[in-house]
Amino acid sequence: MNQLKRLRKGKKQVIAASIALSVIATGVIPFQSADALTRVTSESGTVWEIHDAFAPSLDTGSLRTVGATQVQGFGNIFVKVSSPSASLMNGQMMRGFNLSYDGVNKFVSTQSVNLGNILITREIYVDTKNNRTRFFDTFTNVNNVAVKVDVSFGGSLGYGTTTNAAVVKATSSHDLQVTTDDSWVVVDSSARNNKPLGIAVGSPDPFDNGLTGLGDQQKDPFTTPLAESGNEANFYGFIHTLHMEPGESKSLVNYVQVGEAGEEGLNNLVTTLDGLNGQLDVTGLSNAQIRSISNWDISGIEGLDTGDQLVIPNAPAANQFVTSSPYDVTNKSIADMQQDMINGRATSVQITQAYLDRIKAYDMGQLGFHAFLHVSETALNQAQAADIARAQGAKGDLLGIPIAIKDIYDTKDMPTTGGSKALEGWQPESDAFQVNKLREAGAVIIGKVNTSEFANSGSFSESGWQQTWNALYPSKTSFGSSGGSAVSVAADFAAAAMGSQTGVSLYAPTTGASLKSFRGTDGMASTTGVIPLTWGQDYAGPIAKTVTDLAIMLNATTGTDPQDIFTVTADADHKRPADWKESLDVNALQGKKIGYIPASFVSTYADDDTGQAVMDKFSQLQAAGATMVEMSALPAAPTRPSGINGSTEGWARYIELHKDFPYIDGASVLASDKVLIYNKRDYAAPTRMTEQAVQDYIKYRTDYKEVIKGWMDANGVDAVVYAGFISDVYNNDAAASQLSSDRGTGVLTSNVGLPTVVVPVGTNDSGYSISMQLVGRAWDDAKVLGMGYALEQQTKARLLSSFVPALQYVSSNPGPIVDNGTTPPSSGGTETPPETTTPPEEPEVVHFTDVTTHWAKASIDVLIAKGLLTGYADGTFRPNAGLTRAEAIKVIAAYMGLEGKESSFADVSATHWANKFIGATAEAGLMTGYGDGTFRPDEKMSRSELAALIARAFKLTGTGQTSFKDVKGNAWSYEYIDALASNKIITGYEDNSFKPEQGITRAEFATIIARLIETKE
């Protein structure tokens, strides 16, 4: 027994009766400071930023930043439960605890989060004297069956591989290798004045309830191990597994401890962390809370049997996933819906109601996406007016189509706040120019969507009310500042949306949501009535599902505005095409030369494949008829004139439009105490740009466009292509832009003011959306849009969210809920299906609601007809989710008619729904377990494992002629993969790879089994 063990075993810890009980009471009104989120400062000066329920209300309980450390979004929890009723958010980052701050140093949940009838609460205590924060997370099983709960605590301890990287300095095992045997780890970076950081996660091995895994907290930590090197080695996920009986509560306690710089500070930190094993810090916890602790040995703590009980706050009522509209809007384009209204298959009222119901079901609540700040109270009235106008002969591509508006555009019927409580309740008397044009075109303005405050951030969309979550990857950032706009479209809350871009704020959210957007040449569209960030560089434009929809939006919104100097100077009415749709030509890339700068596809800190994945898609440009041209470095920009202050000038011009604006100038707005604390500025009397400075600035941007035109001419290219991102997409609770994504491509769009179309082209190896940005010469807007259309038609690569399936239709007449018979989106490939201890319920529909137009529908239907497939209780199949080992075994065993046998694997309980299927296949010798006697039934199955299972089960043999570039002839799985390929049951990818270790999706599995059945029958 080592010294630490002797210390823990030999010393008794007595809990004094005077310790205050931490009782959580439902309905407690939280005290909040005036700050954004909440900052607590330790005696040593370390500032701890806590994501509580206060603005921007991320409410994860994680640490946004911690003083002089590299912590970014750390202390969040991802939770995966085996409950049969687990929601689509199973396995995601938990939030919505309504964490209440006591004004001193403690945050408590005033409501639980219900994940599959596991009630989750958090309590966070900042020990300001010892410079430590304790996370106390409680899980209560209110199911009537035993449930397994996997919890990953962690986040980002740095980024990159150089100055900002987290370097392991010590572990409880006295080495520099972090393993599940460790109780704590210390990391530090080489950044100047950085302090070391310790994370303590439980009693050390051989304690029975210690760590069960180390995952990548920026991916799925339950399936992606923590990397040992590279950028991803910064993203720690400390995993504990709880096995919980009905009615049981268990808690996990984790500590984050900041030390002092230098060798002495490091040694003192190690001593402090060692001491936790002998003297656990339970300050302020009730005896009931202490008794519930699972990951620390509490056997040495006396005086706990006091009979008190945990008080768990209620969870809010679950959202209802129903709609009163018979028309399904999921994945419908503007053009689709307009045609359906023309043909009498839908009305604007039905379409608008469908969107309103989806907003209520998926955007609101604890685990909602939080895209909308204000839903129009007149939306249905607007829709009814559109239907009446249509009946009277009115026509138009946007007639009756619901459009979402970023909350920096003026709207006469809804507040315009710029995402800031400094403008809470401000409602202009008139619409922004482009909003007015949308109304004139017959659009329904369905609501105002979230933005980063004053459009400040391209990394996150955090306003004074909420922060928006990604529609494809629900634990990730939506990006900014038009995150609400992108998510409203990707989640089918609106047909399209208006956003804006000063730097990245159209293309970043568009890329993150796998959508399309267009930023025109300076002066193509008006910014009158749009709250400014940087006047002259701001651009207001659309985000949509298709390039055709972009053209429809541009037809309504672009052109000369007499109040907008840039559109007047440009003579936009004569620069824009008469009909943007006429530029949409599938052959628009034929004969075109597309330039690229190789260095722009390489990240300075991320080492994943994103940039290369985009370059690999150059083949799609070539397939559409383009030639790729490697280009020289960018030319230097013209000399920027003096006297340019875009913020001051923009605010002055905006305020001049409004006789009753609540502030005298923009500087007063930004200095308001109601502004998010990290955006607030000290007041300084603003000085407007002179008329000469205005003209100099316009000339500067005009000259810059000529410089780029000359560069493109010299290289003989029609457009230049850039990547949307050159790194993975990261979690939503950090502060630094580097931990949203790397967008450092040097794309010319905003700094020069050039036309740019953004089109999704697929995914990187991590499964995240990637896009191309095609940038053209000034006033080549229609040509650029046409090239985007040609690329879109070539790739057809848009990803669809599996987290917002079609709602069930409830007729206005009393009656049962029925399926609406339409197509919810399929996944971008990241959803984790819930594990189950009982078989998933049979859906009440003949076909699964989310496979109607899926490429694998025919195969899935074959298996339904054979009685081999069951879906989830919500009527979905989740075709793009990963397949577990138990799910695969069940289908194979059922098809082969194997009789049920009790499983003897250590981790397949008698109550596990697949117990007898697993036992039967093991008895038949079709599948073996692991060396430790486990089967790991709920882990995802790889493509190579499935090949082995099928080849063994059906005694398939190969020819030995199969040649995939990533499957060597001496690989253990080669004979099985060869057997399936030789029998034409499997095929590889376009690049001649098979990706044997990649997880198999449920759709791929269905296709393979259907092919197998075809060969056998």
Side-chain angles (χ1 to χ4, degrees):
M1 183 182 295
N2 63 33
Q3 185 176 358
L4 294 179
K5 280 286 184 181
R6 287 196 297 271
L7 177 63
R8 194 180 72 248
K9 291 291 187 181
K11 186 172 182 178
K12 295 290 185 181
Q13 187 174 343
V14 180
I15 305 300
S18 61
I19 290 180
L21 300 182
S22 298
V23 178
I24 304 173
T26 303
V28 172
I29 300 174
F31 169 87
Q32 297 294 3
S33 72
D35 296 344
L37 33 88
T38 300
R39 288 175 170 171
V40 179
T41 304
S42 69
E43 292 179 8
S44 67
T46 298
V47 177
W48 300 78
E49 289 191 334
I50 313 292
H51 279 303
D52 60 353
F54 197 58
S57 305
L58 199 67
D59 207 17
T60 58
S62 54
L63 303 168
R64 181 176 183 261
T65 63
V66 179
T69 74
Q70 293 300 314
V71 163
Q72 291 278 337
F74 190 85
N76 56 59
I77 53 172
F78 285 68
V79 182
K80 183 173 70 171
V81 302
S82 65
S83 309
S85 60
S87 74
L88 289 169
M89 293 299 178
N90 197 20
Q92 299 296 324
M93 188 192 299
M94 294 295 101
R95 62 260 195 183
F97 301 99
N98 199 25
L99 284 162
S100 172
Y101 177 45
D102 69 356
V104 183
N105 61 359
K106 184 179 283 189
F107 305 78
V108 297
S109 297
T110 58
Q111 62 185 20
S112 295
V113 175
N114 186 336
L115 184 69
N117 286 329
I118 298 294
L119 301 183
I120 308 168
T121 62
R122 305 204 83 183
E123 180 176 308
I124 297 131
Y125 165 68
V126 183
D127 183 344
T128 55
K129 179 179 180 180
N130 293 306
N131 209 11
R132 177 169 62 225
T133 292
R134 181 186 69 211
F135 297 82
F136 187 90
D137 300 322
T138 301
F139 306 84
T140 301
N141 182 12
V142 296
N143 289 282
N144 58 8
V145 295
V147 173
K148 184 180 80 165
V149 180
D150 289 314
V151 183
S152 185
F153 170 88
S156 300
L157 295 178
Y159 63 87
T161 57
T162 56
T163 305
N164 298 298
V167 179
V168 177
K169 295 295 185 179
T171 69
S172 63
S173 301
H174 308 296
D175 56 24
L176 299 181
Q177 184 73 31
V178 183
T179 70
T180 54
D181 291 342
D182 284 310
S183 171
W184 53 260
V185 58
V186 173
V187 300
D188 201 353
S189 81
S190 58
R192 187 177 180 184
N193 298 324
N194 206 71
K195 294 183 177 182
L197 187 85
I199 303 96
V201 293
S203 293
D205 183 71
F207 181 62
D208 289 340
N209 295 329
L211 290 174
T212 56
L214 292 167
D216 183 336
Q217 200 80 341
Q218 286 288 1
K219 293 186 178 177
D220 179 349
F222 307 114
T223 60
T224 308
L226 176 66
E228 296 183 1
S229 61
N231 183 47
E232 292 178 13
N234 293 289
F235 307 146
Y236 284 76
F238 298 96
I239 301 172
H240 286 93
T241 299
L242 305 175
H243 296 278
M244 304 185 65
E245 295 300 319
E248 187 176 19
S249 293
K250 291 185 178 181
S251 300
L252 297 173
V253 184
N254 297 286
Y255 301 87
V256 176
Q257 175 87 50
V258 176
E260 294 298 323
E263 185 175 353
E264 182 179 357
L266 177 62
N267 291 336
N268 290 339
L269 177 56
V270 168
T271 300
T272 299
L273 295 170
D274 271 345
L276 283 174
N277 286 309
Q279 189 76 16
L280 193 64
D281 176 13
V282 292
T283 306
L285 296 178
S286 69
N287 286 352
Q289 287 177 306
I290 298 170
R291 291 197 304 271
S292 72
I293 294 173
S294 174
N295 60 322
W296 293 88
D297 186 350
I298 60 170
S299 61
I301 302 179
E302 296 181 336
L304 294 180
D305 296 328
T306 54
D308 59 326
Q309 299 292 320
L310 287 172
V311 178
I312 306 299
N314 293 327
N319 289 357
Q320 297 298 305
F321 298 103
V322 297
T323 179
S324 60
S325 173
Y327 184 82
D328 179 33
V329 293
T330 52
N331 199 29
K332 295 284 177 59
S333 68
I334 293 173
D336 291 337
M337 289 185 287
Q338 192 58 244
Q339 193 60 52
D340 283 347
M341 286 189 286
I342 291 170
N343 293 339
R345 289 193 291 266
T347 66
S348 179
V349 168
Q350 290 174 335
I351 290 170
T352 303
Q353 185 65 61
Y355 281 129
L356 292 172
D357 290 340
R358 290 181 61 80
I359 293 168
K360 185 177 181 181
Y362 292 121
D363 197 52
M364 300 178 181
Q366 290 173 298
L367 297 176
F369 291 95
H370 301 165
F372 274 80
L373 283 174
H374 191 98
V375 178
S376 174
E377 296 174 358
T378 67
L380 289 173
N381 291 336
Q382 296 175 59
Q384 186 177 41
D387 287 335
I388 292 171
R390 186 183 304 278
Q392 295 174 347
K395 297 180 180 180
D397 287 339
L398 284 172
L399 181 61
I401 299 293
I403 304 296
I405 307 295
K406 184 176 179 179
D407 193 35
I408 62 171
Y409 288 73
D410 285 352
T411 46
K412 62 186 179 183
D413 55 351
M414 287 177 282
T416 298
T417 71
S420 179
K421 288 188 175 177
L423 292 177
E424 186 172 8
W426 157 243
Q427 186 164 315
E429 294 182 352
S430 59
D431 288 325
F433 179 86
Q434 293 197 54
V435 173
N436 182 58
K437 290 297 184 183
L438 287 168
R439 290 194 202 271
E440 289 179 355
V444 174
I445 307 303
I446 195 169
K448 304 295 285 294
V449 286
N450 203 34
T451 171
S452 61
E453 189 176 44
F454 305 126
N456 264 323
S457 172
S459 300
F460 308 96
S461 283
E462 76 275 46
S463 70
W465 287 272
Q466 62 190 28
Q467 189 159 329
T468 305
W469 298 82
N470 193 296
L472 295 181
Y473 319 104
S475 299
K476 303 299 179 183
T477 173
S478 66
F479 299 95
S481 58
S482 306
S485 302
V487 171
S488 70
V489 179
D492 290 306
F493 302 151
M498 296 302 296
S500 70
Q501 178 165 303
T502 305
V504 307
S505 295
L506 282 172
Y507 84 73
T510 296
T511 299
S514 194
L515 295 169
K516 287 84 175 179
S517 63
F518 185 79
R519 196 274 192 206
T521 304
D522 286 345
M524 181 60 80
S526 169
T527 58
T528 299
V530 179
I531 292 176
L533 179 59
T534 303
W535 177 80
Q537 189 165 314
D538 295 338
Y539 188 91
I543 297 175
K545 295 182 177 73
T546 69
V547 178
T548 300
D549 285 359
L550 288 178
I552 290 170
M553 295 287 285
L554 293 170
N555 273 341
T557 57
T558 55
T560 303
D561 167 15
Q563 290 186 284
D564 182 279
I565 187 174
F566 286 94
T567 63
V568 171
T569 301
D571 190 14
D573 278 347
H574 293 94
K575 292 287 177 58
R576 58 157 283 174
D579 182 356
W580 287 87
K581 290 189 295 182
E582 291 182 359
S583 65
L584 306 183
D585 180 2
V586 72
N587 296 314
L589 283 167
Q590 283 288 342
K592 298 297 190 296
K593 292 185 177 180
I594 307 299
Y596 68 99
I597 304 170
S600 74
F601 293 84
V602 180
S603 173
T604 58
Y605 63 91
D607 46 17
D608 55 68
D609 78 314
T610 306
Q612 185 59 52
V614 178
M615 293 185 74
D616 288 345
K617 296 297 183 179
F618 286 176
S619 60
Q620 298 290 339
L621 290 169
Q622 292 167 324
T627 300
M628 303 306 297
V629 178
E630 184 173 334
M631 297 182 71
S632 59
L634 284 168
T639 301
R640 185 180 174 89
S642 60
I644 308 303
N645 189 329
S647 176
T648 296
E649 186 64 23
W651 276 108
R653 289 174 183 257
Y654 178 80
I655 291 171
E656 284 176 346
L657 298 172
H658 308 289
K659 63 182 180 181
D660 59 348
F661 190 72
Y663 295 85
I664 191 171
D665 53 38
S668 299
V669 180
L670 301 178
S672 168
D673 287 338
K674 295 182 178 180
V675 171
L676 293 175
I677 195 168
Y678 43 79
N679 288 335
K680 184 180 177 183
R681 303 290 181 264
D682 292 334
Y683 180 81
T687 301
R688 286 194 63 172
M689 292 168 61
T690 65
E691 182 57 32
Q692 184 60 53
V694 169
Q695 295 303 319
D696 288 347
Y697 185 50
I698 292 174
K699 183 177 184 301
Y700 163 75
R701 289 183 71 86
T702 301
D703 290 346
Y704 203 168
K705 293 174 179 65
E706 286 299 311
V707 169
I708 298 304
K709 178 180 181 298
W711 174 64
M712 293 175 66
D713 289 347
N715 283 273
V717 300
D718 298 282
V720 184
V721 62
Y722 290 86
F725 299 153
I726 49 175
S727 78
D728 283 347
V729 175
Y730 299 127
N731 291 339
N732 202 25
D733 58 344
S737 63
Q738 292 87 346
L739 284 167
S740 60
S741 72
D742 190 353
R743 301 177 295 279
T745 63
V747 64
L748 298 163
T749 307
S750 296
N751 289 337
V752 185
L754 297 176
T756 303
V757 65
V758 180
V759 177
V761 293
T763 65
N764 66 1
D765 278 354
S766 300
Y768 297 119
S769 173
I770 57 174
S771 71
M772 288 183 187
Q773 304 186 71
L774 295 175
V775 184
R777 295 170 178 80
W779 306 117
D780 275 354
D781 297 54
K783 294 179 182 178
V784 170
L785 189 71
M787 287 187 275
Y789 178 78
L791 178 61
E792 172 195 52
Q793 296 305 302
Q794 175 63 40
T795 59
K796 297 186 183 297
R798 183 185 161 219
L799 305 178
L800 308 176
S801 175
S802 61
F803 297 93
V804 285
L807 298 176
Q808 291 178 301
Y809 168 52
V810 181
S811 171
S812 56
N813 298 316
I817 295 175
V818 299
D819 181 69
N820 59 15
T822 51
T823 312
S826 58
S827 168
T830 62
E831 181 196 354
T832 302
E835 298 174 15
T836 56
T837 51
T838 59
E841 296 179 20
E842 289 278 1
E844 298 179 2
V845 295
V846 176
H847 301 292
F848 299 118
T849 62
D850 55 348
V851 300
T852 306
T853 61
H854 195 279
W855 62 266
K857 180 180 184 298
S859 297
I860 293 168
D861 286 349
V862 169
L863 271 62
I864 292 174
K866 295 288 184 182
L868 299 176
L869 289 186
T870 56
Y872 293 87
D874 60 0
T876 63
F877 179 67
R878 305 178 195 176
N880 300 310
L883 180 79
T884 68
R885 293 162 61 85
E887 290 168 334
I889 287 294
K890 181 256 185 184
V891 172
I892 299 293
Y895 177 69
M896 297 183 68
L898 298 178
E899 294 184 4
K901 301 282 186 181
E902 288 291 338
S903 167
S904 60
F905 292 111
D907 59 343
V908 181
S909 67
T911 60
H912 194 286
W913 67 268
N915 178 287
K916 292 191 175 182
F917 294 116
I918 294 168
T921 51
E923 178 79 11
L926 305 184
M927 198 72 172
T928 57
Y930 292 87
D932 60 359
T934 63
F935 181 71
R936 305 176 193 175
D938 300 311
E939 286 190 3
K940 298 299 184 289
M941 174 167 272
S942 70
R943 294 166 62 84
S944 59
E945 288 176 323
L946 182 65
L949 172 61
I950 292 174
R952 289 171 181 165
F954 297 96
K955 298 181 173 55
L956 301 177
T957 58
T959 62
Q961 301 300 311
T962 300
S963 178
F964 293 118
K965 69 179 184 180
D966 55 352
V967 182
K968 295 182 178 179
N970 60 356
W972 73 268
S973 59
Y974 177 82
E975 65 175 298
Y976 306 120
I977 295 170
D978 174 51
L980 269 63
S982 299
N983 285 276
K984 302 187 183 306
I985 293 170
I986 60 170
T987 57
Y989 291 86
E990 290 181 357
D991 62 357
N992 194 37
S993 66
F994 181 70
K995 302 181 181 177
E997 302 311 312
Q998 180 172 295
I1000 192 89
T1001 68
R1002 292 164 64 86
E1004 290 171 332
F1005 174 72
T1007 301
I1008 290 171
I1009 298 300
R1011 288 175 183 164
L1012 180 68
I1013 291 172
E1014 183 179 354
T1015 64
K1016 294 296 180 182
E1017 298 182 358

